[in-house]
Amino acid sequence: MVWTGLTALLSHWRRRPVQLAMLLLGLSLATALWSAVQAINGEARASYDRAAAILGQDRLAQLVREDGARMDQQVFVRLRRAGWLVSPVIEGEMRFGDVRLRVLGIDPLTLPPQAQQVNVAVGDELLPFITAPGVLYAAPETATRLTEQATPPVRVAEGLPPGTVLTDIGQAQVLLGAKDKISRLLLWPDQPIGRAPLKVTAPGLTLRQPSETGDLARLTDSFHLNLTAFGFLAFAVGLFIVHSAIGLAFEQRRQVFRTLRALGLPARVLVLLLIAELLIFALLAGLVGVALGYVVASALLPDVAATLRGLYGADVPGTLSIRPAVWAAGLAIAVIGTLVAAAQSLWRLWHLPLLAAAQPRAWARASERALRAQGVAAMVLLLTAAGIAQFGSGLEAGFALLAALLLGAALALPLVLTGILQLGGRLVRGPLAEWFWADTRQQLPGLSLALMALLLALAANVGVSTMVSSFRLTFTGWLDQRLAAELYVTARTEAEATAIHDWLAQRSDAVLPIWSVEGRVAGQPAAIYGVADHATYRDNWPILSAVPEVWDRIAAGDGALINEQLARRQELGLGDQITLPGGWRASIVGVYSDYGNPIGQVIIGIDTLVQHYPDVSRLRYAIRIAPGKAEALAAGLRAQFGLPAQNVIDQAGIKVFSLKVFERTFRVTAALNVLTLGVAGLAMFASLMTLSGMRLPQLAPVWAMGLTRRHLAWLELSRGLLLAALTMLAAVPVGIALAFVLLAVVNVEAFGWRLPMHLFPGDWARLAALALLAAGLAAAAPAWRLARLSPSDLLKVFAHER
Amino acid sequence: MSVRALLIYMCLAAAPAFGQGFAGLGTEADGFSVPQPGTAFNFPADHGPHPGYRIEWWYLTANLQAADGADYGVQWTLFRSALAPVERSGWSSPQLWMGHAGLTTQTHQFVAERSARGGIGQAGVTAAPFAAWIDNWQMAGRALPEADALSALDLRAAGRAFSYELALDAKGPLVPQGVQGYSVKSEKGQASYYYSQPFYHVTGTLTLPAGAIAVTGQAWLDHEWSSQPLAEDQTGWDWFSLHFDSGEKMMGFRLRDGGAGFTSATWIKADGRPQPQAPGALRVTPLETAAVAGRSVPIRWRVQLPEKGVDVTIRTLNPEAWMDTRFPYWEGPIRFEGTHAGRGYLEMTGYE
Amino acid sequence: MLLRLHQIDKFYPTGEGPLHVLNGIDLSLEAGKSLALTGESGSGKSTLLHLVAGLDSPDAGEIHLGGTNIVGLNDTALAALRRATVGLVFQQFNLIPSLDVAANLAFQARLAGRPDPAWLKVLAKRLGLAQVLTRYPEQLSAGQQQRVAIGRTLAARPRLVLADEPTGNLDEATGDAVLDLMLSLVAETGAALLMVTHSNRLANRLNARVHLHAGRLV
């Protein structure tokens, strides 16, 4: 009986392949977008984990200096001679040609077994590894990037994070220009007895416990949360399609349900059969969806990887690996999504008498009660959003605010549209117009889910594009301020740097050092830059707030400028004291904007920098010269010192590069936005198809009273467009609110900077056109079907009970 | 005892298989010096390292007794292995160092292992004043200026659950092995420079999980260096150092190969004069094996040196004296009876 | 003659070949008269009514309505005919669910361009709908709904009223009352009435009757 029942239920789909396709498509798309985001995040996180796990940092405690600065390698020998089993590591960033890499230097002889994920320097490889020029071990992808560059010999080692090369500590010290320095010490888990106390042997070092997540994972958290939020939005929008398709299938199979029940199939079994049917579809669509998700993800991943590298210095491979977790999660979300989407239909089937005929107006009136409840929920959510905006803090609160705002707006939409349609109905004259508005209002309950989906998609579009465009505008202006110098030169050695400086002294207006050291400020990774006392900074630097005579204070050596993100994260303000690497303290005299930089930054006078950090690498300079002479000077500089092209960059070059990074950062968001909009269009199409089946009894009397089918079809099309247009109107304020939250809350929490908002109505017009196009396409098919309907199909309405 | 070279090679070069590492040893030493017969030792300089030779070690074994008569064995070894026949300061030094420390009781075997690179001060050896160290393990000379630099030593090492601190005082002279320090290892002529100081009296303290134990006893130090010590077909060795109760000493080893093996021995009179024995004069016969660390290892031996009327049966203090290091081997204290009685040390490698 | 049908043939395609639903029908109806069209289920009586209303077209023959042959008119012309000349009352699903009773009543008259508030008021009163003008169709009883349908049809003052089992969905007492109302109001407006019914009892209350059997008038 069960099998017979299932066959009868499934036969429906054989006769309606388009409907089945719609159901599966909706579910697949929803799953695909979700899985794509999951796959991307998974790939990125796996690579952070690899980075965090390298050298066993996730399992081994380490000894570090509190300020994050490098220590003398004699500390290592002293600790070993005192009985401590430690192994030295040096790390740093460096460029090979135009490839920037993280260099990790290890001592293979003392490396704890827990730190040896990568088989390096085995057997005969040890001698070349520890003697000049050394050997670089790199992941296959990294090794490929290095093929064109002048480097020590490169060997491929699986399991290394991308963008990282592993080499002997001695070679790394040479490469990084840090003779006899080490960054940290790995602590063996088992230590011998009778060791000298740590405080005596190595004062100034602190023990850092193994940490599962590295700085990278923390820094990029907000980025991934962002992606996840979008994936979830896309998934929710996709579910609207599924909901419509399932609703239609249930409506159309009323007769079959009734027959099956009459034949003695218990309601419980019927519901279970339908759930089984849905599960089959969910798994099928889930598999397709995850596969599709991988396609989307691999299309997006290069941009994501570029973003992560540009924005956070995080290296993520450009290719995806297949992760079982993504498949499992994808299938699970497909199943859960299907059941959620079907819940209403199943509930109705369970509770409503089977013999009741379809009564659209009764349904509409029932949903008027639902509408009121929805309105209350919307109010509560919007008030919650306001509350969070007022009192909340943190990134999570930011996203909660976004969720409450979007959901509240979506729930309020049917109410708002009802009001507008009511008003419209009152304003128009003529029986057809009145009917058109009244009937449109009556269609609302059936379409509201799709319209809510459309609202979400449109609002997200408006919000994100406003945010991105505002950001772009601010960013471009900021680049102009920040990149005031005409040329930037990087020497290859300190001797060359000195020579370049002397050579430039007579040929340019000013040669300004760009020297920096890395370390920890207030427990966070940060860079400390020294600046010369020069008009370049006095006139251009993008200061947000500062004490009077700020540049005099910097030059005098008793003040420090910090970037906005450091100020916000550590709640530092003018006049506060900060402790800088090396343990000396400076007073904050100003805060400046520093977009696109994930870590903290401190600016002090160049003399102060050299005084506190005599080992600072002195390789980079900014050059001031009349813009017209810059190109000739750059050419001369390259010729004179044989510098590679990328070591002398002009202002425009850096700007182009920065803007490229910027654009790539938001390309993923834009792609997800467009996909979401597409899915919303599909949701609308599915809903309209669903409704068109139930529309005939409402349209037939009008037709019988003297309207042609073509006329009716045009009205149906106009109805879709009207609703889309109204939804777009509603989406604009929601989108602006969204943009505001993104700019003023989420960005501040995620990146540490706040941006002014700019509005771009032109973008909205384009989006509105797109939305109308989508709605028009969605409404076209049902309208076309109506125009071509045979009269006998319409006449059947009057002849039979449906 | 040059056969221990294999050990250091296995460990430091971390060759994937025994056979491969062995094959590597059989080849001619590229650029490394090779021991020549008839070269006189130059002390104290020769107490220090010889970076031009591929391998070198300072190897001390001690037979100790507590006040209650319980026997203990202590091993302290510092190996030097050169990847290239030069010394450089800093990380690029091709001189690699490895330490093994063992402490054997009747029921327990304690093992620790260290490795380090030369050039940065973590490990090394200086000749005068004598000091050999890796991490906080050390063998430090405290001899008076006119005495031999090795004649008085302070020794210490520590592992996760044990440590020891011993004072060693030599009651006899240095003893060159082989022909005036030129020790032949195979019929094909492989050889090493090799001398010993087998006359140490020892006092000191062992620290075990149960507490500290005061001990006294005797110890034997070997210092040996070479570049190409093994023949291609040799698969392992059995090495014996015997302290006879009569005051004489004997060093003997057998290198196992496909056939009868190669044995060599030095008889050391109580006054320290060595009497090198002809190859083959020493006969060693396993009498009983035991399963140790999954291998079958001889734990009772018959050792004969007919020339000196020696025919003794050796038994181990603790059959489980397994050195569970990266390249594992057996090393532990022994007692023997028969024509002569006494204590000593046994090392066995290459048992599968 | 208001309505004249000449040699009407109509086929429906079926699995076993075309079904001859109407076979050489000749029929006429004068203005102001009423005619009952009876027959068993499937005899083709509803089809005939639909042809007359311009909802469907015959495969052969002519239908003259007010002197015009409506066979072959295009969709727009037929729609205009339905709007202005004929009024339809069906068994059910007559009303526009999104409009209230008042709007439903006025709908066709306004569509036909003949709004007449005074007449509407009279109709509402006569049909007993004055109290329910602001309600929506599904809030009405079946009898009330059918009265709204009748009122809406007559509000436009059509020359021909076509009714298809107008009381088929009502119980007998309600049905009789509704029919009485319809007949008297049709008579008052001077329209002609063509009513399909399977009930002899109802058919007898009209001026004349014809019986349809297997596609032919008998």
Side-chain angles (χ1 to χ4, degrees):
Chain A
M1 180 177 74
V2 167
W3 182 245
T4 321
L6 193 59
T7 321
L9 289 174
L10 287 175
S11 69
H12 169 80
W13 302 104
R14 234 189 359 258
R15 288 192 295 117
R16 296 176 192 271
V18 176
Q19 201 182 330
L20 178 62
M22 196 54 61
L23 173 64
L24 294 180
L25 186 67
L27 199 49
S28 305
L29 279 181
T31 312
L33 291 183
W34 171 261
S35 301
V37 167
Q38 293 308 310
I40 288 173
N41 282 349
E43 196 63 50
R45 293 221 169 93
S47 101
Y48 307 149
D49 286 350
R50 262 206 306 276
I54 189 166
L55 304 183
Q57 288 161 43
D58 54 340
R59 278 165 293 166
L60 295 172
Q62 307 184 49
L63 290 171
V64 293
R65 268 176 63 156
E66 182 64 48
D67 57 15
R70 289 180 181 140
M71 58 186 104
D72 203 273
Q73 86 183 22
Q74 276 312 310
V75 176
F76 159 67
V77 176
R78 207 156 60 231
L79 278 164
R80 292 290 304 205
R81 299 291 323 261
W84 285 86
L85 292 184
V86 289
S87 185
V89 174
I90 185 166
E91 64 184 320
E93 302 264 334
M94 74 166 295
R95 272 180 188 284
F96 295 98
D98 53 3
V99 181
R100 200 181 65 147
L101 292 176
R102 177 173 171 233
V103 174
L104 265 181
I106 56 159
D107 172 26
L109 282 120
T110 53
L111 198 63
Q114 293 82 354
Q116 296 170 355
Q117 301 95 332
V118 184
N119 245 352
V120 298
V122 174
D124 292 344
E125 296 170 8
L126 185 59
L127 181 62
F129 188 74
I130 65 171
T131 48
V135 176
L136 303 181
Y137 284 87
E141 201 184 68
T142 317
T144 311
R145 282 169 62 205
L146 283 173
T147 44
E148 299 288 305
Q149 312 300 338
T151 65
V154 177
R155 279 172 187 267
V156 170
E158 300 286 347
L160 278 174
T164 296
V165 290
L166 191 68
T167 189
D168 184 64
I169 185 157
Q171 299 311 312
Q173 287 176 343
V174 173
L175 288 173
L176 296 171
K179 191 169 158 41
D180 296 341
K181 293 286 178 191
I182 56 178
S183 301
R184 50 202 168 84
L185 291 159
L186 302 173
L187 212 56
W188 286 57
D190 285 333
Q191 294 288 336
I193 59 173
R195 305 180 305 276
L198 199 57
K199 278 206 173 70
V200 177
T201 318
L205 293 196
T206 53
L207 192 68
R208 196 199 294 167
Q209 289 307 320
S211 97
E212 293 286 339
T213 51
D215 285 343
L216 270 188
R218 274 195 301 278
L219 277 175
T220 52
D221 228 16
S222 53
F223 180 82
H224 293 293
L225 196 57
N226 244 316
L227 274 188
T228 305
F230 263 99
F232 198 75
L233 182 67
F235 182 74
V237 168
L239 277 194
F240 289 117
I241 305 181
V242 181
H243 180 86
S244 298
I246 292 176
L248 176 59
F250 273 56
E251 183 65 29
Q252 286 169 339
R253 285 188 292 181
R254 232 167 231 279
Q255 187 64 42
V256 181
F257 298 161
R258 192 185 303 167
T259 311
L260 285 173
R261 290 289 305 280
L263 291 175
L265 194 72
R268 191 172 48 85
V269 177
L270 181 61
V271 168
L272 286 178
L273 281 178
L274 285 165
I275 290 177
E277 175 195 85
L278 290 172
L279 286 182
I280 293 171
F281 291 155
L283 290 176
L284 214 65
L287 285 174
V288 175
V290 178
L292 208 59
Y294 269 108
V295 174
V296 175
S298 35
L300 295 180
L301 192 62
D303 280 334
V304 175
T307 300
L308 289 169
R309 192 175 303 133
L311 204 55
Y312 301 102
D315 272 292
V316 173
T319 49
L320 279 175
S321 45
I322 303 290
R323 284 167 208 290
V326 171
W327 283 94
L331 289 182
I333 196 90
V335 167
I336 294 169
T338 309
L339 292 180
V340 167
Q344 190 192 16
S345 294
L346 286 169
W347 189 86
R348 274 198 197 152
L349 176 66
W350 186 258
H351 287 277
L352 287 187
L354 272 171
L355 294 177
Q359 279 196 335
R361 180 64 210 171
W363 183 24
R365 273 203 310 144
S367 30
E368 256 163 37
R369 279 194 303 279
L371 203 60
R372 273 195 293 279
Q374 209 173 309
V376 172
M379 280 309 294
V380 170
L381 279 167
L382 291 176
L383 285 175
T384 308
I388 298 174
Q390 194 65 40
F391 305 109
S393 71
L395 194 58
E396 283 73 16
F399 277 100
L401 169 54
L402 281 186
L405 174 70
L406 280 179
L407 199 59
L411 286 177
L413 179 72
L415 212 63
V416 172
L417 287 182
T418 305
I420 295 177
L421 291 172
Q422 231 155 14
L423 196 68
R426 265 192 232 127
L427 291 178
V428 297
R429 284 286 164 262
L432 265 187
E434 285 168 29
W435 170 73
F436 176 80
W437 285 86
D439 204 58
T440 306
R441 185 150 60 87
Q442 189 189 278
Q443 296 310 301
L444 261 189
L447 277 171
S448 63
L449 273 177
L451 292 174
M452 282 153 72
L454 189 63
L455 177 83
L456 289 182
L458 290 175
N461 257 291
V462 170
V464 170
S465 75
T466 303
M467 187 265 280
V468 172
S469 301
S470 299
F471 198 171
R472 186 184 293 114
L473 206 63
T474 311
F475 188 69
T476 339
W478 171 82
L479 274 182
D480 289 341
Q481 290 183 299
R482 182 79 182 249
L483 300 175
E486 284 71 26
L487 287 175
Y488 296 85
V489 59
T490 307
R492 288 163 297 191
T493 62
E494 300 242 344
E496 188 178 67
T498 314
I500 288 175
H501 181 269
D502 295 346
W503 189 82
L504 284 171
Q506 304 121 36
R507 293 171 175 81
S508 64
D509 300 340
V511 185
L512 308 168
I514 306 178
W515 300 342
S516 68
V517 293
E518 288 181 7
R520 280 181 181 261
V521 174
Q524 302 285 322
I528 293 94
Y529 278 81
V531 295
D533 186 9
H534 192 264
T536 302
Y537 303 106
R538 290 177 179 266
D539 298 347
N540 296 302
W541 203 252
I543 298 277
L544 293 173
S545 65
V547 301
E549 311 302 324
V550 52
W551 293 106
D552 293 339
R553 296 279 305 275
I554 293 289
D558 67 339
L561 285 164
I562 61 173
N563 65 356
E564 185 185 1
Q565 35 275 58
L566 184 61
R568 288 193 189 274
R569 280 190 201 124
Q570 304 302 331
E571 293 179 355
L572 294 170
L574 299 183
D576 290 345
Q577 294 275 319
I578 45 169
T579 305
L580 293 164
W584 66 285
R585 291 166 70 79
S587 155
I588 296 171
V589 293
V591 178
Y592 59 96
S593 55
D594 186 20
Y595 305 122
N597 176 12
I599 66 169
Q601 205 176 75
V602 180
I603 288 181
I604 54 179
I606 188 74
D607 298 336
T608 322
L609 183 83
V610 173
Q611 173 199 334
H612 284 282
Y613 310 101
D615 295 339
V616 61
S617 148
R618 303 166 193 201
L619 299 177
R620 296 199 68 205
Y621 288 99
I623 306 164
R624 296 310 307 264
I625 187 167
K629 297 181 189 161
E631 202 174 320
L633 185 66
L637 198 52
R638 287 192 196 105
Q640 175 73 23
F641 295 94
L643 286 171
Q646 69 267 12
N647 283 37
V648 184
I649 310 176
D650 60 6
Q651 193 190 74
I654 297 190
K655 275 185 192 163
V656 166
F657 175 77
S658 304
L659 285 172
K660 211 161 74 186
V661 169
F662 178 90
E663 296 300 339
R664 292 195 83 156
T665 303
F666 293 103
R667 207 177 291 167
V668 180
T669 324
L672 278 176
N673 252 330
V674 169
L675 288 173
T676 309
L677 191 61
V679 170
L682 265 175
M684 184 137 175
F685 174 68
S687 297
L688 288 172
M689 287 298 270
T690 307
L691 285 178
S692 74
M694 304 186 237
R695 285 288 283 154
L696 287 187
Q698 296 151 35
L699 295 176
V702 187
W703 169 70
M705 276 182 279
L707 248 61
T708 61
R709 284 161 291 166
R710 272 166 58 99
H711 196 168
L712 284 175
W714 275 117
L715 289 174
E716 289 292 283
L717 187 63
S718 315
R719 184 172 285 120
L721 292 176
L722 173 69
L723 288 173
L726 292 177
T727 305
M728 177 67 208
L729 277 183
V732 170
V734 178
I736 292 174
L738 181 67
F740 177 79
V741 174
L742 285 172
L743 289 169
V745 181
V746 173
N747 271 351
V748 175
E749 296 294 345
F751 306 109
W753 54 70
R754 187 179 176 142
L755 299 163
M757 182 159 78
H758 302 273
L759 299 181
F760 300 86
D763 287 355
W764 307 341
R766 221 173 27 245
L767 185 62
L770 205 63
L772 288 180
L773 184 69
L777 286 176
W784 174 250
R785 214 167 61 169
L786 178 63
R788 307 275 306 200
L789 201 64
S790 106
S792 58
D793 284 328
L794 279 161
L795 288 170
K796 273 182 205 150
V797 170
F798 303 115
H800 311 291
E801 191 196 359
R802 278 175 73 246
Chain B
M1 201 176 74
S2 66
V3 283
R4 293 182 192 184
L6 190 57
L7 189 89
I8 192 164
Y9 247 78
M10 290 304 105
C11 299
L12 283 185
F18 186 93
Q20 193 182 326
F22 184 91
L25 279 183
T27 57
E28 201 49 54
D30 41 356
F32 287 101
S33 307
V34 174
Q36 302 298 325
T39 314
F41 287 125
N42 170 26
F43 296 121
D46 274 337
H47 292 322
H50 302 80
Y53 292 80
R54 198 194 289 270
I55 45 170
E56 183 164 17
W57 53 83
W58 296 258
Y59 210 125
L60 187 124
T61 51
N63 293 90
L64 305 169
Q65 291 84 43
D68 63 1
D71 276 318
Y72 296 91
V74 157
Q75 176 201 348
W76 191 104
T77 315
L78 183 64
F79 299 93
R80 180 188 61 79
S81 170
L83 298 174
V86 290
E87 174 63 307
R88 296 187 203 106
S89 70
W91 291 104
S92 60
S93 161
Q95 303 289 330
L96 309 183
W97 298 85
M98 181 170 68
H100 283 182
L103 197 168
T104 310
T105 73
Q106 266 173 324
T107 51
H108 279 88
Q109 170 79 353
F110 298 92
V111 180
E113 183 178 22
R114 298 283 186 269
S115 40
R117 201 172 324 183
I120 54 160
Q122 187 192 349
V125 175
T126 56
F130 180 79
W133 74 94
I134 182 165
D135 294 345
N136 62 334
W137 301 2
Q138 62 176 23
M139 184 191 279
R142 54 167 163 74
L144 298 172
E146 61 274 19
D148 176 59
L150 292 182
S151 63
L153 300 172
D154 285 328
L155 184 78
R156 70 161 190 256
R160 198 161 72 87
F162 77 100
S163 66
Y164 53 75
E165 277 197 64
L166 305 173
L168 291 75
D169 289 283
K171 303 298 182 190
L174 296 173
V175 178
Q177 300 280 8
V179 181
Q180 285 155 14
Y182 182 78
S183 170
V184 176
K185 299 303 179 197
S186 85
E187 279 153 6
K188 292 177 186 140
Q190 277 89 353
S192 66
Y193 291 119
Y194 183 4
Y195 67 87
S196 305
Q197 172 47 275
F199 294 107
Y200 286 117
H201 279 208
V202 182
T203 58
T205 310
L206 310 181
T207 306
L208 294 174
I213 302 163
V215 289
T216 58
Q218 47 197 339
W220 179 313
L221 172 70
D222 285 329
H223 179 200
E224 184 168 12
W225 62 100
S226 180
S227 289
Q228 185 226 10
L230 279 191
E232 283 186 25
D233 56 352
Q234 293 171 335
T235 60
W237 62 87
D238 308 299
W239 175 86
F240 303 83
S241 65
L242 307 180
H243 299 279
F244 296 104
D245 290 345
S246 55
E248 285 131 332
K249 316 277 179 186
M250 191 192 95
M251 185 284 295
F253 59 81
R254 176 180 73 158
L255 283 159
R256 300 194 302 278
D257 52 31
F262 177 88
T263 65
S264 172
T266 303
W267 181 262
I268 303 166
K269 303 180 78 160
D271 61 5
R273 275 180 297 154
Q275 295 181 334
Q277 303 296 306
L282 175 74
R283 272 185 282 161
V284 297
T285 318
L287 299 177
E288 182 189 342
T289 61
V292 179
R295 301 147 206 245
S296 178
V297 177
I299 53 159
R300 223 154 57 79
W301 290 82
R302 182 175 181 194
V303 172
Q304 294 162 282
L305 187 63
E307 186 82 2
K308 293 290 174 187
V310 174
D311 185 350
V312 297
T313 305
I314 284 175
R315 61 184 170 75
T316 58
L317 172 68
N318 178 353
E320 306 277 340
W322 187 251
M323 292 297 286
D324 191 15
T325 46
R326 278 204 281 180
F327 179 70
Y329 58 103
W330 196 102
E331 175 105 29
I334 52 174
R335 294 189 78 146
F336 55 91
E337 286 162 338
T339 56
H340 299 67
R343 291 182 171 83
Y345 244 79
L346 168 60
E347 177 180 284
M348 299 179 282
T349 71
Y351 286 95
E352 293 303 320
Chain C
M1 197 62 62
L2 177 67
L3 173 71
R4 191 166 63 79
L5 277 65
H6 176 67
Q7 286 298 305
I8 293 297
D9 277 334
K10 178 73 181 173
F11 299 91
Y12 279 150
T14 69
E16 294 104 40
L19 176 69
H20 211 162
V21 187
L22 296 174
N23 189 355
I25 302 291
D26 289 315
L27 187 86
S28 46
L29 178 61
E30 279 180 53
K33 298 290 183 187
S34 63
L35 176 65
L37 186 57
T38 57
E40 299 94 46
S41 285
S43 59
K45 51 189 194 298
S46 285
T47 304
L48 189 63
L49 192 79
H50 294 156
L51 293 179
V52 172
L55 293 170
D56 209 348
S57 46
D59 294 304
E62 295 171 2
I63 301 171
H64 293 271
L65 186 57
T68 315
N69 181 9
I70 66 166
V71 175
L73 290 182
N74 65 17
D75 238 22
T76 316
L78 286 174
L81 174 87
R82 293 201 297 275
R83 219 157 43 223
T85 313
V86 299
L88 283 156
V89 181
F90 293 106
Q91 183 176 341
Q92 64 166 0
F93 294 115
N94 276 313
L95 304 179
I96 298 170
S98 52
L99 299 179
D100 63 12
V101 169
N104 262 291
L105 276 175
F107 192 76
Q108 191 164 9
R110 298 174 68 195
L111 213 55
R114 296 198 283 266
D116 185 346
W119 171 226
L120 264 181
K121 216 169 186 173
V122 171
L123 273 175
K125 200 171 172 204
R126 293 285 302 279
L127 289 164
L129 296 171
Q131 309 305 315
V132 296
L133 285 176
T134 57
R135 293 202 192 163
Y136 282 87
E138 93 280 355
Q139 292 168 289
L140 303 179
S141 70
Q144 282 174 316
Q145 287 193 29
Q146 208 55 334
R147 276 183 274 155
V148 176
I150 291 163
R152 185 191 58 194
T153 299
L154 294 176
R157 294 187 186 276
R159 295 167 67 191
L160 174 62
V161 174
L162 299 170
D164 189 355
E165 301 274 16
T167 60
N169 217 25
L170 308 175
D171 62 72
E172 199 173 294
T174 314
D176 283 355
V178 168
L179 189 66
D180 283 344
L181 255 175
M182 184 170 81
L183 289 178
S184 57
L185 282 168
V186 168
E188 280 172 39
T189 58
L193 171 69
L194 177 61
M195 182 176 92
V196 164
T197 177
H198 64 276
S199 154
N200 285 326
R201 191 174 60 82
L202 296 181
N204 287 335
R205 301 189 48 186
L206 271 60
N207 299 140
R209 61 181 289 185
V210 288
H211 187 74
L212 203 57
H213 179 72
R216 289 173 178 281
L217 283 178
V218 293

